[in-house]
Amino acid sequence: MKGHPQGARQREAARLANTTHGQSCSPTHNSWSMMRRRCLTPTCPDYPDYGGRGIWIDPRWDSFEGFLADMGERPPGMTLDREDSNGPYVPSNCRWATAETQSRNRRNNLWITYKGETLLLADWSRRLGVDAGTLRREYRRNGSLGPSIEGRNL
């Protein structure tokens, strides 16, 4: 016979007995799991940029419960970010951040200081109305923005 209530109860009891936090499919658990994979699994494609560079994880975060206690639930539209992209995954260096915040916090971003003001190359490009590729080439060639910004209003 289909749909034995006794079988359903047994399956539910078994599921609950094997559940520690009930969040294995949650966005927060996914962030925790992917963090661990990047840092601890040499066969992960992202490992060279994380574990391979010495990025480590707070031992308290070996358990999802420890991570959840420190970070809380992942807010909608946010992902796990390290404020110091060369630093470890520890509570004092991690936050939930938007994609825009994370895009401004990359190792390969080019920060340029001109007349005491430091901006990302992309921000200088927007402000000056000059193509970012042009600015990048000039900066790499001359070590400054030079002719690209002469006569432009900052």
Side-chain angles (χ1 to χ4, degrees):
M1 289 174 53
K2 273 179 124 176
H4 287 290
Q6 179 72 17
R9 280 195 298 274
Q10 287 173 338
R11 281 191 301 277
E12 179 64 7
R15 185 187 69 76
L16 290 173
N18 291 316
T19 299
T20 56
H21 47 71
Q23 293 204 24
S24 61
C25 295
S26 74
T28 307
H29 189 274
N30 186 53
S31 291
W32 172 78
S33 177
M34 295 307 293
M35 167 194 67
R36 294 181 55 75
R37 186 168 181 258
R38 289 188 296 266
C39 293
L40 303 174
T41 307
T43 56
C44 172
D46 293 327
Y47 180 83
D49 292 323
Y50 293 86
R53 286 197 311 120
I55 305 298
W56 55 275
I57 302 169
D58 188 315
R60 180 170 153 75
W61 291 1
D62 285 347
S63 77
F64 175 69
E65 292 80 8
F67 175 79
L68 183 61
D70 290 339
M71 293 299 298
E73 294 287 343
R74 182 173 110 184
M78 307 270 201
T79 55
L80 187 61
D81 181 48
R82 286 171 295 125
E83 291 187 48
D84 172 2
S85 60
N86 293 311
Y89 283 99
V90 295
S92 61
N93 192 41
C94 289
R95 62 187 173 187
W96 296 116
T98 64
E100 181 179 349
T101 298
Q102 286 202 9
S103 73
R104 300 178 68 77
N105 189 30
R106 297 174 55 101
R107 300 187 276 147
N108 63 350
N109 276 344
L110 182 55
W111 290 91
I112 300 172
T113 301
Y114 179 73
K115 291 189 177 178
E117 185 174 9
T118 302
L119 297 173
L120 283 172
L121 178 127
D123 295 332
W124 282 117
S125 172
R126 277 191 291 283
R127 180 184 284 186
L128 300 169
V130 176
D131 177 70
T134 300
L135 287 179
R136 178 176 280 109
R137 282 187 298 279
E138 183 169 323
Y139 186 80
R140 287 189 174 150
R141 186 174 37 249
N142 304 321
S144 72
L145 297 181
S148 292
I149 58 174
E150 294 301 320
R152 295 183 184 266
N153 289 330
L154 297 179

